[in-house]
Amino acid sequence: MRQLSRHEASFLYADTLHANANVTFVQIYDPSTAPGGAVRFKSILAHLEGRLHRSPVFRSKLLRVPFELDEPYWVEDEHFDLEYHVRHIALPKPGDWRQFCIQASRIHARALDLNRPLWEIYVIEGLDSITDLPPGSFALLTKIHHAAIDVESRNELIELLHDRSQRPPKAAPPEPWFPERAPGGLALLTRAALHHVVSPFRLASPIARALPKALAFTRDLLHPEHHLSATRFHAVVSPHRVFDTRRFLVEEFEAIRALVPGATVDDAVLAICAGGLRAYLARHAELPEADLTADVPEPGESPTPGVAHASRRIQLGTRLADPVERLAWIRSQTALPAAQAAAAAQRLAPPCCTITALGSPPGPVYLVGAHMTYFSALLPIADGLGLVFAVSRYDGRIVISPTSCRELMPDPEVFTQGLRDGFQDLLALARRDPSLAGSAAGAAAASAAAAIPRQAARRSPRKAAASAGAVSPGADGLTPAAARASAADTPAPAARKARSAARPPRAATGARRRSTAPPG
């Protein structure tokens, strides 16, 4: 029996009816590398059964303390049933990327059963019409509660499921397992009392969890103008999720980062996410004048399990039309020492999104001999933070996958197309003359660094809110084109003229939306 840390338990306390803390890893496999060129569902079941003993996550469920007087515990599930947690489904024909994203989003949105171990795996077949996938490819959706896993550092669950060789080791017989009996309510209350004697401030935890909600209710009652938000992504989220993705080559990001002296690949990723966000809001005539901010991982951090990851808040440069200036502006902030960055962040507006780097496998991995060709994730969103980017780096590719809510982002394929277009613009500039672009960006970076204190003090969230447009809910808006062209698969020709980010945004199209029906 192990007690959750406060950081781990915070994900449980944050769950609501319309926003849970599920994390869903998306993995796609090429079965041609497996013995016999195919992988059967029963082989995956046997593979998992032989590895259940390697991690307590698989068979552990929650045990809450009465009256929430202490943090919950992980205890072994006496009625553990592997076939409840591992499920086998197939996409209906034609089996395209749009259908896959919708299915993944629906699975991700459904809450996990808190009376069972907090994970599920879906084996999905029928991916026949997804571009560039080998015949017979299948996917795994590995859904797990954020309280049970650390997605940003060592990804224990992904490591346990996979091998480094396409020749899987001979499966050992399942080890015998005898679950421990969970303690009763009186024993839990006794433990809680001892914890409060040792650390009396723990007794205030239930009050501390309820206090922010009470304060928010009072604030909204007395000051209804606080409901105004800078963008649609600062609004309340719905229970419905949307997801899409774009894949790029790492070497192309290396070329882009060279546009700004000292910039890293991570800076280039942030610039692409910022450019996609700017393009999407401009397309809907909702781009605020104030610079939008994001929570991003603190560089160089490697925290211990159960401890909150350090992050910093930065301005994304969405007010800047030039993509190289935007990259330079981002670099000027990520290069700041942690203490100086924290001081600057106190003056910034609330973030509209988070950008999370997944703990990705360091090299090619295999499931029952099948090569994993794609790795990304759907991540949790919350009220006031309705957009999150999952960034994975695996097998020579960088994958950027936004997750949002269907009412806030009815057209996720439009959003990811903006990501790709911004990437192609920067790549075209990098390939044209990196030395000239780099010298120009160096001057831009210097001026950007000097402007950080002035920009942070000059803008206010209220001004940004005044310039925001209305949010129109709609259908998914997903199309098969979301998977057809990635920058990695169709790099821009050298002669292609880079589009100018300074051109005026197109007006929103009113009530017209894309059909979600598959092509006939």
Side-chain angles (χ1 to χ4, degrees), residues 381-413:
I381 59 174
D383 292 344
L385 207 61
L387 174 64
V388 58
F389 294 90
V391 181
S392 62
R393 184 167 178 168
Y394 168 71
D395 209 10
R397 293 179 184 268
I398 290 177
V399 181
I400 303 177
S401 303
T403 303
S404 188
C405 137
R406 191 171 66 197
E407 282 65 29
L408 303 183
M409 188 190 290
D411 45 4
E413 81 287 353

Side-chain angles (χ1 to χ4, degrees), residues 306-328:
V307 178
H309 282 259
S311 63
R312 64 169 63 183
R313 185 173 301 175
I314 69 165
Q315 291 179 309
L316 293 173
T318 51
R319 73 187 188 282
L320 300 171
D322 187 281
V324 179
E325 289 183 9
R326 193 179 308 122
L327 174 59

Side-chain angles (χ1 to χ4, degrees), residues 122-140:
Y122 291 80
V123 182
I124 303 180
E125 297 183 321
L127 314 181
D128 304 324
S129 296
I130 297 181
T131 306
D132 298 329
L133 289 188
S137 291
F138 65 95
L140 247 64

Side-chain angles (χ1 to χ4, degrees), residues 28-40 43-44 47 51 138 161-170 364-373 394:
I28 299 179
Y29 300 88
D30 174 10
S32 65
T33 60
V39 175
R40 300 181 64 186
S43 300
I44 297 176
H47 176 78
R51 303 198 175 195
F138 65 95
L161 292 178
H162 297 88
D163 300 299
R164 297 293 179 86
S165 170
Q166 67 185 66
R167 293 187 176 182
K170 186 177 180 180
V365 294
Y366 301 83
L367 176 75
V368 200
H371 177 220
M372 187 169 79
T373 59
Y394 168 71

Side-chain angles (χ1 to χ4, degrees), residues 25-27 149-160 162 164 250 266 309 356-365 372 374-377 390-401:
F25 297 109
V26 184
Q27 303 121 242
I149 195 168
D150 184 357
V151 302
E152 294 170 311
S153 60
R154 178 172 172 264
N155 197 328
E156 180 185 14
L157 194 64
I158 299 300
E159 290 181 8
L160 290 175
H162 297 88
R164 297 293 179 86
V250 173
D266 290 340
H309 282 259
T356 301
L358 303 179
S360 307
V365 294
M372 187 169 79
Y374 170 93
F375 174 69
S376 189
V391 181
S392 62
R393 184 167 178 168
Y394 168 71
D395 209 10
R397 293 179 184 268
I398 290 177
V399 181
I400 303 177
S401 303

